[in-house]
Amino acid sequence: MSEKKQVVVIGAGPAGMMAAITAAEQGAAVTLVERNQKVGRKLYITGKGRCNVTNHCPWEEVLQNVPRNGRFLYSALSAWPPAQTEAFFEGLGVSLKVERGNRVFPVSDRAADIVDALYFRLKRLNVKLITGTVEQILWPEGRVTGVRLAGGRVLPTQAVVVATGGVSYPLTGSTGDGYRFAQEAGHTVVPPRPSLIPLVEDGDTCARMQGLALKNVELNIRNGKKKVVYSEFGELLFTHFGLSGPVILSASAHLKDFDKNRFTVIIDLKPALDEAKLDARILREFGENPNRDFRNVLGHLVPNLMVPVMVERSGIPGDTKVNSVTKGQRRRLVEQLKGFSIPIAGPRPVEEAIVTSGGVKVSEVDPATMSSKKMPGLYFAGEVLDVDAYTGGFNLQIAWATGRAAGNGICREIA
């Protein structure tokens, strides 16, 4: 390039850092503005501090894990599939491994290794890092010319990438500024709501079993009309407020309009057994312990923390000798084991969501370059867009792919 293109990226999360790296690799002069003292703040807490980098699957499978607006990501993901993400980090010296569900993590189990690799790549490419807050993007004549920082400093630029995240985890810097920038440029912002978020129980059953994790259960969620809106096998956790765990977080992406809908979580505690086989299993347990109290034998069928709750729900007094339990009582026990219900009051606050659903309307953004259709020189990447996926590394893959698309788009489009 005879004269370097000037690029400002707002937000040093995964999408922003990838956009900055991509543009800098092609010779652009890139400034990355981050409100936190450190880059990649949110990356440090992903995957419980281990950083679920991506999912080891074809890019088409990533699309299958995007509940809304997946078609918008077709171009970005086909150009930068999970295999490219893995090769990129391996090339930066981070050894990766694949775990259950094709989740990809650094071998070290340290999210800091991913952040450090990105940071040193930025430094090697001479990306200028500025700690500060962008107050305004400047477009005096209908195209981007600069950004104004808090304090009044102006950074001249030909292009701006907004990669500010959603509104989840505000302490990491995701405060919703990107939505304001988009709206000021004439974009529609789909109201943000929590996605991949724990659910609050309408009651206290979960609190009584706080800390209990269940694996290999079947989850069904029904709406107020008794229609099943989500089904999955997996792991969940009872908490002081309700339900969490992988299967609950994924389910939450399907639930909306809590003010209009009443949802109930139905847990099949014994999905491998149909009702007849489960009843036979119960009869066997009772036959081997005929003179023991029901509450004591129940511990052979459910975790100890669940026993008092199951005694109540079955309607069988805990001190009943199991040889006295009637067929009708056994039937109620089977029903509870196959359909343990938890009414849901709503999600936890949006600030606790792993990702935010909603954001910049994707029909107003070019899917190949992430450029604004409203304002020349404006680009978007990552969670600020109205796309989100299930757990398993898919959301980070979207961040890498859209960041790459934005960085490439700038270098193709900006003269």
Side-chain angles (χ1 to χ4, degrees):
M1 291 183 191
S2 57
E3 188 175 333
K4 286 196 171 188
K5 298 173 185 178
Q6 300 292 320
V7 178
V8 171
V9 179
I10 309 173
M17 286 191 283
M18 182 61 86
I21 287 168
T22 303
E25 284 175 343
Q26 296 178 61
V30 182
T31 301
L32 180 56
V33 184
E34 169 57 44
R35 63 169 61 230
N36 292 301
Q37 291 294 326
K38 279 185 157 185
V39 301
R41 185 86 180 269
K42 195 170 181 180
L43 278 172
Y44 282 108
I45 60 175
T46 61
K48 298 179 181 177
R50 298 169 59 217
C51 193
N52 186 182
V53 179
T54 186
N55 193 280
H56 185 69
C57 68
W59 65 267
E60 295 91 343
E61 193 171 319
V62 179
L63 290 181
Q64 293 168 14
N65 284 274
V66 180
R68 292 170 57 253
N69 297 327
R71 183 176 294 181
F72 170 77
L73 296 168
Y74 188 101
S75 180
L77 286 170
S78 60
W80 189 264
Q84 287 275 43
T85 298
E86 293 180 52
F88 173 80
F89 283 105
E90 293 271 5
L92 295 183
V94 182
S95 298
L96 302 174
K97 61 182 177 179
V98 180
E99 296 189 358
R100 180 177 57 85
N102 285 328
R103 290 169 166 83
V104 179
F105 294 91
V107 169
S108 65
D109 286 329
R110 295 178 69 249
D113 288 354
I114 296 295
V115 179
D116 288 348
L118 291 165
Y119 174 76
F120 289 119
R121 181 62 178 156
L122 290 165
K123 297 300 284 184
R124 283 194 297 272
L125 289 166
N126 296 314
V127 172
K128 186 176 182 180
L129 295 170
I130 292 179
T131 302
T133 301
V134 174
E135 286 192 340
Q136 186 180 12
I137 300 175
L138 306 176
W139 37 67
E141 296 178 2
R143 74 167 296 117
V144 169
T145 61
V147 301
R148 179 180 291 116
L149 304 180
R153 180 183 176 188
V154 172
L155 304 176
T157 186
Q158 296 161 281
V160 170
V161 182
V162 176
T164 51
V167 291
S168 58
Y169 292 117
L171 291 178
T172 66
S174 299
T175 57
D177 286 351
Y179 301 148
R180 175 172 60 84
F181 300 147
Q183 287 172 323
E184 289 172 353
H187 279 276
T188 305
V189 173
V190 178
R193 64 179 181 85
S195 186
L196 303 187
I197 192 166
L199 300 176
V200 178
E201 179 195 8
D202 185 4
D204 66 350
T205 298
C206 295
R208 294 171 61 191
M209 299 184 289
Q210 179 180 348
L212 173 62
L214 298 178
K215 295 183 178 180
N216 302 318
V217 295
E218 181 182 354
L219 185 84
N220 287 287
I221 298 186
R222 294 179 183 157
N223 61 18
K225 297 179 180 178
K226 308 295 184 185
K227 180 183 177 181
V228 175
V229 295
Y230 182 78
S231 295
E232 187 58 270
F233 285 88
E235 179 180 344
L236 60 81
L237 174 70
F238 294 101
T239 73
H240 65 284
F241 57 77
L243 294 165
S244 189
V247 72
I248 294 296
L249 297 178
S250 290
S252 69
H254 294 264
L255 309 182
K256 57 183 178 180
D257 299 328
F258 281 93
D259 53 337
K260 300 175 185 175
N261 289 313
R262 298 292 294 174
F263 297 103
T264 302
V265 172
I266 312 294
I267 306 166
D268 185 346
L269 299 165
K270 305 292 180 182
L273 302 174
D274 61 25
E275 292 190 359
K277 289 180 180 176
L278 179 55
D279 188 45
R281 161 86 188 277
I282 293 169
L283 277 172
R284 186 168 68 250
E285 291 290 349
F286 285 4
E288 292 172 356
N289 304 276
N291 296 311
R292 295 189 68 189
D293 290 349
F294 171 64
R295 69 166 67 89
N296 295 328
V297 177
L298 195 53
H300 298 177
L301 298 167
V302 297
N304 289 332
L305 274 175
M306 189 174 265
V307 168
V309 174
M310 194 60 77
V311 166
E312 285 182 15
R313 291 199 171 195
S314 69
I316 306 170
D319 58 359
T320 302
K321 302 300 179 186
V322 293
N323 59 10
S324 301
V325 173
T326 67
K327 184 176 181 180
Q329 288 175 320
R330 236 177 35 245
R331 175 68 190 167
R332 285 198 298 276
L333 177 59
V334 169
E335 289 172 352
Q336 285 300 315
L337 291 169
K338 296 292 289 182
F340 191 86
S341 63
I342 304 289
I344 301 301
R348 290 290 285 177
V350 66
E351 293 82 6
E352 296 180 25
I354 293 176
V355 297
T356 308
S357 178
V360 178
K361 193 172 183 180
V362 296
S363 62
E364 299 170 358
V365 178
D366 185 312
T369 63
M370 298 297 135
S371 60
S372 165
K373 295 179 180 179
K374 303 280 187 178
M375 181 64 63
L378 182 62
Y379 296 76
F380 299 96
E383 197 182 341
V384 72
L385 292 160
D386 183 23
V387 287
D388 61 279
Y390 304 140
T391 57
F394 302 110
N395 285 290
L396 271 183
Q397 177 58 35
I398 290 170
W400 309 128
T402 56
R404 197 76 181 181
N408 282 326
I410 286 169
C411 293
R412 287 203 301 269
E413 296 180 345
I414 301 300

